[in-house]
Amino acid sequence: MRTAWLIAGLASLMAGLAACAPTTSGGLASGFSAAPAPADFTPREPSRPELSGYIAEGDGFSLELTFHEGPGGGVDISTIIHMAGAAGLLSPAFDMAEPWLAGGVRRFEGGMSRDGDVTLILQPGPCAIGDMRYGHFAALEIGGRSYEGCARETGPYPLWTHEIGEFLPAIEACRADSAVSSLAHVRGAGDRRVSLAYRDGDSQTVRFEYPGNGRFDCTHTGQGVRWRAVSDLEPALPGEGDPFYLPGRMPEAGEGCFLYERVRDADGRTLGALAHDACAVTPIG
């Protein structure tokens, strides 16, 4: 699994939601609206896009975080931060907070002797700066001063959820249609989860999985949705189930063998959760 080396060996998810500190920046909007970009802001492409990591940017900062395989199969993190109006770059030594999904958020902590403690918090959801759309909200704190922005996943094999905000309208349209679908398993009650979403021309396809009751593809177009039962003989598509998206709820810690990441909107409301398999993983190397 693509995320195995990030999850292996971490403790169970802590209960509750993390509270973010007040910010000094603005300019964020829902992933389906627009807001003016800061005048001194220039999006930065990752210097090494073949490496897994994140690009975060907002009013007054841009940040590149990359993961490297360290000695003995561990994970090393390198970080470069550019602050608006500052001379030079900041390179704090970041570590992944443990557990890495405490409170349903990804949290990275580090520090610099001159600027003090540095914290980066990432939460999936429909974040946007101007007409640029991202898959995560970002909160950066440096020496007690807070900034907010957006982030996107980088690397050769990003998770299918790196654009989760773009797929949310299709997911919700499929959920609404399932109440009246002629497919019994889709219409009926039961535990359902989204295992994959992808574009196909002008349409989007959302794959729902009903544990023990099969898989169903819902294709969303401007004219509505259509359903297709997926044969048990069809192999999983690349990225399927890595992770699952649970719409409309944030499970309690310890529910199933998963670590849960909260998906939120621009106002901080919970939209659902990403469920990362915490059992079928092995350490890298």
Side-chain angles (χ1 to χ4, degrees):
M1 178 179 290
R2 145 94 163 68
T3 54
W5 58 278
L6 286 176
I7 304 174
L10 299 181
S12 300
L13 180 69
M14 292 172 61
L17 300 176
C20 295
T23 62
T24 60
S25 61
L28 297 188
S30 163
F32 311 107
S33 61
D40 60 354
F41 169 72
T42 301
R44 301 166 64 90
E45 291 299 320
S47 60
R48 301 182 65 185
E50 74 279 5
L51 295 177
S52 296
Y54 294 92
I55 289 289
E57 43 212 12
D59 191 357
F61 80 95
S62 62
L63 176 152
E64 177 181 346
L65 182 151
T66 54
F67 299 115
H68 312 265
E69 182 177 355
V75 179
D76 288 340
I77 301 173
S78 62
T79 311
I80 298 174
I81 303 174
H82 174 261
M83 303 301 297
L89 302 174
L90 304 179
S91 298
F94 263 154
D95 289 317
M96 225 179 299
E98 295 194 19
W100 71 285
L101 281 180
V105 302
R106 295 176 187 245
R107 185 181 181 94
F108 302 89
E109 299 174 336
M112 297 172 291
S113 57
R114 184 186 64 184
D115 297 283
D117 293 338
V118 182
T119 301
L120 174 67
I121 295 176
L122 301 178
Q123 293 180 275
C127 191
I129 303 175
D131 59 357
M132 293 285 291
R133 299 181 180 184
Y134 305 74
H136 288 77
F137 295 90
L140 176 67
E141 183 171 312
I142 300 179
R145 186 171 178 83
S146 298
Y147 306 83
E148 65 177 16
C150 299
R152 64 182 184 272
E153 186 182 1
T154 64
Y157 305 109
L159 298 176
W160 71 266
T161 53
H162 79 291
E163 294 181 304
I164 185 67
E166 300 299 295
F167 295 121
L168 287 174
I171 292 172
E172 291 307 307
C174 291
R175 291 181 67 202
D177 185 76
S178 68
V180 295
S181 172
S182 61
L183 292 173
H185 288 304
V186 173
R187 186 182 67 248
D191 186 24
R192 77 183 97 180
R193 57 196 188 187
V194 177
S195 61
L196 187 67
Y198 59 91
R199 294 183 183 87
D200 186 7
D202 293 332
S203 65
Q204 294 181 340
T205 296
V206 180
R207 177 160 291 185
F208 287 84
E209 178 179 305
Y210 291 72
N213 289 299
R215 299 172 293 168
F216 296 84
D217 282 350
C218 174
T219 299
H220 177 254
T221 67
Q223 289 71 46
V225 305
R226 64 179 184 272
W227 290 90
R228 179 184 76 91
V230 180
S231 169
D232 291 340
L233 300 179
E234 289 189 39
L237 294 173
E240 186 174 339
D242 184 20
F244 292 103
Y245 173 57
L246 310 179
R249 71 188 187 97
M250 177 68 184
E252 295 292 333
E255 181 179 323
C257 200
F258 294 95
L259 294 178
Y260 298 103
E261 188 173 13
R262 184 171 76 105
V263 180
R264 50 160 285 196
D265 66 10
D267 295 320
R269 293 172 298 206
T270 298
L271 300 176
L274 301 182
H276 300 267
D277 192 334
C279 289
V281 298
T282 56
I284 190 168

